[in-house]
Amino acid sequence: MTRPRVAILISGRGSNMMSLIEAAAAPDFPAEIAVVISNRPDAHGLARAQAANIPTRMIDHKAHADRAGFDAALHAVLVEEQVDLVCLAGFMRLLMADFTQKWYGRMINIHPALLPSFKGLHTHERALAEGVRIHGCTVHFVTPEMDVGPILMQAAVPVLDADTPDTLGARVLAQEHVIYPAALRLVVERRATLREGRVVIDEFMLAPPALVVPPAG
Ligand code: GAR
C-alpha cells in the first residue's frame, strides 16, 4: 500500500526535519517523506536532506514579488509532488490565509513554546525573562493566525535557575524531536481529528511526551 506523502518545509538547520526523516525511515511508520522544500538557498537542512536521499526543492522567496506569488509557487510544487500532508519545521515564513485554508487539517507546525504562551520569535529568551518554571514545545495545525491553530501535542520541560536561552532551548529541542514524529503519526493514522477548532485524540497514548521531563543528572 502506498503511504501518504509528506512535505517538510524548512528555512534553516533542519534538526526537526531530520527527526521526521529518521522516524519515517522505520518500516512501520505510516507516511513517507516525499520532499523537503526550503525558501532559502543557504538552508543547511537542504544538504542534510540530500544526504538522507530525500528529494529537495528550493523556492526562493526573494524571487517572488509578494507573499501571494510565493504561496502560489509553493502550492504548485506541493500539488506537483502529490503531497498529502505538510510539516513546517523551522519554516520562518508567514503563509497567507488563502494558502493555510487550502491546507487546513493537512498542515502542522512545531513551535518552541507551550502555546498559547510565547507565540512568535525568541521564545526561550522571553520564557527566561518572564521567570516561568515550565517551558516546552507544541505541535499544532496551521491556521491563518500565526502560532494559534488547534494543538495536537505538547511537551513540557523545567526551567532551571542556571538556564541560558541556549541551555533551555536545547532542552526544549530534544523534546521537539520526540513529539513531532509522534504528532505526525497521530495525524496520518487519523487518530487526531479536528472537531470545532480543537483536536480530539481517539486514544490515550500521550503519556511519555506530555509529562514534564526531569532535569538531567
Ligand atoms: C525549532 O526550534 C522550531 O521549533 C522553531 O525553529 C527551530 C528550527 O530548528 N520554529 C519556530 O520558531 C517557528 N515559529 P530546526 O531547523 O533545527 O528544526
Side-chain angles (χ1 to χ4, degrees), residues 6-212:
V6 174
I8 307 177
L9 272 52
I10 62 165
S11 301
R13 80 189 149 181
S15 74
N16 277 291
M17 172 202 78
M18 284 310 300
S19 77
L20 295 170
I21 289 173
E22 281 160 17
D28 73 332
F29 198 82
E32 71 168 299
I33 308 304
V35 63
V36 166
I37 304 171
S38 172
N39 68 310
R40 298 179 60 108
D42 57 352
H44 181 50
L46 281 173
R48 298 177 79 181
Q50 282 153 10
N53 289 319
I54 305 293
T56 59
R57 301 283 293 255
M58 213 280 295
I59 308 171
D60 190 346
H61 63 269
K62 293 198 184 111
H64 295 274
D66 53 19
R67 286 189 188 280
F70 173 81
D71 287 6
L74 177 57
H75 182 74
V77 168
L78 294 172
V79 171
E80 187 188 317
E81 297 281 352
Q82 300 182 328
V83 165
D84 300 299
L85 278 166
V86 178
C87 292
L88 309 184
F91 183 70
M92 307 309 268
R93 180 112 192 125
L94 285 179
L95 296 162
M96 293 181 73
D98 185 49
F99 181 92
T100 62
Q101 275 149 10
K102 273 189 199 127
W103 288 90
Y104 184 60
R106 297 185 293 153
M107 180 160 62
I108 62 179
N109 178 48
I110 185 138
H111 181 74
L114 290 172
L115 293 174
S117 294
F118 307 119
K119 296 167 189 154
L121 298 174
H122 310 299
T123 54
H124 311 311
E125 287 89 336
R126 287 158 56 212
L128 288 173
E130 292 290 348
V132 296
R133 289 293 169 187
I134 294 174
H135 186 42
C137 49
T138 303
V139 180
H140 64 96
F141 283 104
V142 177
T143 52
E145 211 181 329
M146 188 186 73
D147 300 334
V148 164
I151 292 172
L152 269 158
M153 203 177 275
Q154 294 184 301
V157 302
V159 180
L160 307 182
D161 290 338
D163 267 331
T164 63
D166 283 350
T167 60
L168 180 57
R171 195 174 306 122
V172 171
L173 189 65
Q175 295 309 306
E176 294 184 39
H177 298 162
V178 174
I179 66 168
Y180 210 178
L184 174 60
R185 179 186 274 278
L186 272 187
V187 174
V188 173
E189 291 179 345
R190 297 177 189 271
R191 287 192 287 140
T193 2
L194 278 163
R195 221 171 283 163
E196 290 164 18
R198 288 180 55 192
V199 173
V200 180
I201 294 171
D202 77 349
E203 191 184 317
F204 185 77
M205 52 76 68
L206 300 183
L211 288 177
V212 175

